[in-house]
Amino acid sequence: MKISRKILKFTEPLTYRRGWRRAQRSLFRVPLAPMLAHIDRERAREIQQRYMNSTAGYAKYANIEPWLQLNRERVQDLNLHRSSPKRVLDLGCGGGFFLFILKNLGHSVLGLDVERVPLFGELLELFEVPRLVYRINAFEPLPDLGEKLDWITAFSVNFNLYHPSKERWGTAEWDFLLHDLQARLAPGGKIFFGLNPLYNGGYHTPEIRDLFLSRGADVERERIFFENGVRL
Ligand SMILES: C[S@@+](CC[C@H](N)C(=O)[O-])C[C@H]1O[C@@H](n2cnc3c(N)ncnc32)[C@H](O)[C@@H]1O
């Protein structure tokens, strides 16, 4: 088989999945305007202007509309815009864009993050999204969250980095977290991670990919989805 055909064959399922998601998004739309009507637009403008000339990496989040659009896609791709109300915990929730949309769709939401970036605190306040201030550390269980959850999500994950070395978690750290998260899920609960790229452009080492697969995840590049929870 020619190399070009081999590559085509390899990429087909991915292309197909992406195309399917795009089509679904345009079929079942989620208008943002009614959601934005609930926030203090004056305050949003003030935040945006204050960070406009900031060189801080996170200042980009002050311009909220593109981030809401990106997070709308995340919501749509997980089909949470067409679901009955769920209890959702978002790890490393940042400014709370994803949870703001979910809250407006009737879900019950909680973010978890460190309190390092003042802008994130301001956005969470603007969006009226609750956040539990907590640092996820390797081999440490999350605090008591009270109720069981239907969904646990994490996008652009970077809690899996050691500081200051920036070394990434290995399989043992991930497996500990997976066990801990599974214990927080209600029956039928789901977990989704959107991973950040590694320095070499991939998203996970082969060992971590194998761990995710062995624990029941669907792995599509950066998208790690435990639709039926974690297989223990
Ligand atoms: C790249 S940002 C992504 C934010 C958000 N999930 C999004 O996609 O817009 C990563 C987030 O993870 C948080 N984070 C990093 N390390 C963490 C840790 N150890 N525990 C909890 N949150 C952490 C950061 O504070 C930041 O909000």
Side-chain angles (χ1 to χ4, degrees), residues 91 100 116 151 175 183 205:
L91 306 175
F100 169 69
R116 194 178 58 87
W151 277 83
D175 209 24
T205 60

Side-chain angles (χ1 to χ4, degrees), residues 5-150:
R5 281 192 56 203
K6 268 191 183 164
I7 292 172
L8 198 68
K9 202 159 186 269
F10 174 73
T11 56
E12 260 171 12
L14 192 61
T15 314
Y16 171 77
R17 280 175 173 223
R18 284 189 180 152
W20 175 252
R21 283 199 292 270
R22 250 197 320 274
Q24 291 286 305
R25 280 184 224 135
S26 59
L27 220 69
F28 302 101
R29 292 176 181 273
V30 178
L32 292 175
M35 303 185 189
L36 286 168
H38 293 301
I39 68 167
D40 181 343
R41 295 308 293 266
E42 193 45 50
R43 174 96 174 110
R45 247 190 306 277
E46 185 275 316
I47 294 175
Q48 185 177 355
Q49 274 164 9
R50 193 155 30 88
Y51 283 92
M52 205 147 61
N53 297 319
S54 166
T55 52
Y58 57 78
K60 61 186 177 187
Y61 292 107
N63 180 16
I64 63 174
E65 296 217 9
W67 298 102
L68 284 173
Q69 284 159 11
L70 168 74
N71 280 277
R72 169 172 58 189
E73 291 188 357
R74 290 171 169 173
V75 168
Q76 288 172 305
D77 292 350
L78 296 180
N79 220 17
L80 279 162
H81 58 319
R82 300 176 62 215
S83 133
S84 56
K86 303 291 182 209
R87 293 157 296 182
V88 184
L89 172 71
D90 189 36
L91 306 175
C93 64
F97 299 98
F98 176 69
L99 295 180
F100 169 69
I101 297 173
L102 288 187
K103 189 186 73 164
N104 275 278
L105 293 171
H107 300 291
S108 149
V109 302
L110 177 65
L112 180 150
D113 208 312
V114 297
E115 205 175 17
R116 194 178 58 87
V117 177
L119 171 60
F120 289 162
E122 295 183 84
L123 292 173
L124 289 160
E125 206 180 290
L126 178 77
F127 293 144
E128 296 181 24
V129 164
R131 173 185 63 181
L132 176 67
V133 174
Y134 184 81
R135 176 175 295 280
I136 300 169
N137 282 316
F139 303 120
E140 286 179 17
L142 298 185
D144 183 8
L145 298 164
E147 56 177 3
K148 294 270 182 181
L149 300 153
D150 302 304

Side-chain angles (χ1 to χ4, degrees), residues 131-208:
R131 173 185 63 181
L132 176 67
V133 174
Y134 184 81
R135 176 175 295 280
I136 300 169
N137 282 316
F139 303 120
E140 286 179 17
L142 298 185
D144 183 8
L145 298 164
E147 56 177 3
K148 294 270 182 181
L149 300 153
D150 302 304
W151 277 83
I152 300 176
T153 55
F155 297 94
S156 301
V157 166
N158 62 9
F159 54 71
N160 59 328
L161 296 179
Y162 282 104
H163 291 286
S165 69
K166 297 257 189 270
E167 233 173 84
R168 279 163 204 268
W169 284 5
T171 50
E173 291 91 329
W174 271 109
D175 209 24
F176 183 95
L177 181 74
L178 293 178
H179 276 76
D180 186 35
L181 296 183
Q182 178 59 31
R184 319 303 177 123
L185 287 181
K190 303 174 194 302
I191 299 174
F192 179 87
F193 300 125
L195 300 184
N196 262 337
L198 306 173
Y199 300 111
N200 67 10
Y203 291 92
H204 28 64
T205 60
E207 294 75 23
I208 287 175

Side-chain angles (χ1 to χ4, degrees), residues 175 178-179 181-183 185 189 191 210-218 225-232:
D175 209 24
L178 293 178
H179 276 76
L181 296 183
Q182 178 59 31
L185 287 181
I191 299 174
D210 286 350
L211 170 74
F212 289 150
L213 290 171
S214 74
R215 293 292 181 205
D218 179 72
F225 186 28
F226 297 87
E227 187 167 12
N228 302 307
V230 177
R231 189 189 301 140
L232 299 176

